[in-house]
Amino acid sequence: MNKLNYSSIVEEHIKSLDNNAFLEVCSRLLEKLFPDHTSSVNGESAKQGIVIESVLYKALPYNVSSKPVLKNLLPKNKIPFNFCTLFAKDSGSANGKIKEKLNKLYPGNVFNIWSPVDISGKILSFEMQDITFILGSNSSLASYMYSTYSEERDRSILKSIFDYLFNAPLPDDFKKPAEDDIKLKKIEEKIPLNFGKYQFDIVKDMFVKCFSNILLAEQFLKYQLEIDSRQVDFLIKRIRMSFCEIRDIADYRVILYDYKIIEKIAKTLVQPEHRDDDYYIHNATAIVFLFFEACEFGVRTEEELKEPSFWS
């Protein structure tokens, strides 16, 4: 989901905040809008009013249809300003009247009022990590946005990787399947056969962190198998070849020893321009883990030797 699709949700959230929460959100927004003024921007900045580059920024933590105490608009430090931007909690028609009155009372200054729509737009102009900070790390809305946006971002990245690998378009309407504990149990049996004992916890942690991406990658591959299974066959050969080259061996059915081999194979799956992008490498690592789980390289457990092919 595009961040801008959250606009109306964030707008309604801003309107619903109590006065203190609204002031805190506005103060954190100012911190992100003016990172070079961190010494002057702090938790009280929106409440007290702060002047940055001749512009006064101040929050109105009440319905602007109420009569504002105009003398309180000026910051305590009396720094002169030419422009004033006020953060308002509602988007009523009173905004225009308040603005008109302030322009008359302070003819040498220009006043502007940011409604919840404007504030929402400013917040959503940042990256998701900064949006979470502005809304508040404990905010349920921030948690919801981060989780849904992260899944959409991962879907887009995986699609980009598979487009690169298969050179074929893939659909955008995949749904992440429910977590399957069987996968975790199987990988816990498989790890000791393929890695040194001091790496067991590292590899398991990597697998768990990639788990939702592994499930999503599996959906992409299932779809590709229905279109043209040869593409998946070519990818299997590519991963096996990369494994053998990295390990400097001829047989792909041997132990890995080092978890870094997973990361090295992942880099071979990503477009050159994205090989330093953590999100791309994370999703490519999920693909490698999926093929490791599918026994396309490494040592199999006794149960896996009896089972049919993962892809069948």
Side-chain angles (χ1 to χ4, degrees):
M1 181 183 289
N2 189 300
K3 285 185 296 182
L4 295 180
N5 293 338
Y6 296 108
S7 181
S8 60
I9 300 174
V10 176
E11 178 189 349
E12 292 304 316
H13 174 72
I14 291 169
K15 291 179 181 178
S16 69
L17 294 173
D18 61 41
N19 289 350
N20 288 332
F22 177 70
L23 286 169
E24 291 172 0
V25 168
C26 291
S27 291
R28 290 192 292 266
L29 175 57
L30 283 174
E31 286 187 50
K32 290 300 178 183
L33 285 172
F34 304 103
D36 295 335
H37 293 77
T38 52
S39 59
S40 56
V41 177
N42 53 55
E44 293 292 311
S45 57
K47 180 179 180 181
Q48 296 176 356
I50 182 172
V51 176
I52 298 176
E53 298 175 353
S54 77
V55 180
L56 168 64
Y57 295 89
K58 186 175 175 66
L60 297 174
Y62 43 73
N63 192 312
V64 295
S65 60
S66 303
K67 184 178 179 180
V69 182
L70 299 179
K71 66 178 182 179
N72 290 339
L73 290 174
L74 295 174
K76 294 179 179 180
N77 55 17
K78 306 299 182 183
I79 298 176
F81 64 93
N82 297 320
F83 303 91
C84 178
T85 294
L86 301 174
F87 298 81
K89 261 180 67 175
D90 82 317
S91 52
S93 59
N95 279 351
K97 295 179 181 179
I98 295 294
K99 181 179 175 182
E100 182 181 349
K101 187 172 184 179
L102 289 170
N103 283 329
K104 289 180 179 179
L105 286 172
Y106 301 94
N109 304 113
V110 177
F111 287 86
N112 182 38
I113 296 179
W114 284 356
S115 69
V117 175
D118 302 312
I119 297 171
S120 172
K122 295 293 181 182
I123 292 173
L124 293 175
S125 68
F126 291 97
E127 294 299 322
M128 192 57 66
Q129 184 175 356
D130 291 333
I131 292 173
T132 301
F133 168 78
I134 295 168
L135 294 177
S137 56
N138 294 326
S139 167
S140 58
L141 173 60
S143 299
Y144 164 74
M145 288 178 62
Y146 191 86
S147 62
T148 55
Y149 180 76
S150 296
E151 181 178 336
E152 188 66 25
R153 177 205 61 210
D154 291 336
R155 180 180 286 108
S156 176
I157 290 174
L158 281 167
K159 181 179 183 299
S160 174
I161 293 172
F162 282 122
D163 281 351
Y164 168 66
L165 294 173
F166 296 148
N167 193 28
L170 294 171
D172 294 318
D173 58 348
F174 287 110
K175 303 294 182 183
K176 186 176 73 174
E179 292 188 357
D180 185 357
D181 290 336
I182 295 176
K183 287 182 178 292
L184 291 174
K185 292 177 181 177
K186 287 180 66 176
I187 207 69
E188 285 177 346
E189 296 175 2
K190 196 177 182 75
I191 289 173
L193 297 178
N194 285 278
F195 297 91
K197 63 179 181 179
Y198 298 110
Q199 297 202 353
F200 292 177
D201 291 340
I202 295 175
V203 178
K204 181 180 176 182
D205 183 59
M206 287 174 64
F207 184 85
V208 169
K209 286 180 178 177
C210 289
F211 194 60
S212 61
N213 304 76
I214 292 170
L215 296 176
L216 189 58
E218 186 174 335
Q219 292 298 299
F220 274 101
L221 286 168
K222 284 180 179 178
Y223 178 81
Q224 185 61 38
L225 281 170
E226 294 177 1
I227 297 175
D228 185 355
S229 63
R230 292 175 300 174
Q231 296 280 27
V232 178
D233 292 336
F234 293 149
L235 181 54
I236 291 172
K237 293 177 182 178
R238 178 175 183 155
I239 289 177
R240 286 175 176 174
M241 185 179 299
S242 295
F243 173 61
C244 291
E245 288 178 353
I246 292 167
R247 284 275 282 108
D248 194 23
I249 54 175
D251 190 350
Y252 60 84
R253 294 165 297 183
V254 299
I255 63 175
L256 281 71
Y257 283 119
D258 191 349
Y259 72 90
K260 292 180 181 178
I261 289 175
I262 296 284
E263 296 175 341
K264 290 178 180 179
I265 298 175
K267 283 209 169 190
T268 69
L269 303 183
V270 176
Q271 304 95 311
E273 65 270 23
H274 294 308
R275 285 175 186 165
D276 292 322
D277 187 311
D278 291 340
Y279 291 126
Y280 271 80
I281 296 303
H282 178 76
N283 281 278
T285 299
I287 296 172
V288 178
F289 266 122
L290 177 60
F291 280 89
F292 173 62
E293 178 195 354
C295 308
E296 299 302 345
F297 65 97
V299 176
R300 300 185 182 191
T301 65
E302 291 186 9
E303 287 299 317
E304 287 172 335
L305 290 170
K306 301 174 185 176
E307 293 174 356
S309 165
F310 178 89
W311 309 111
S312 62

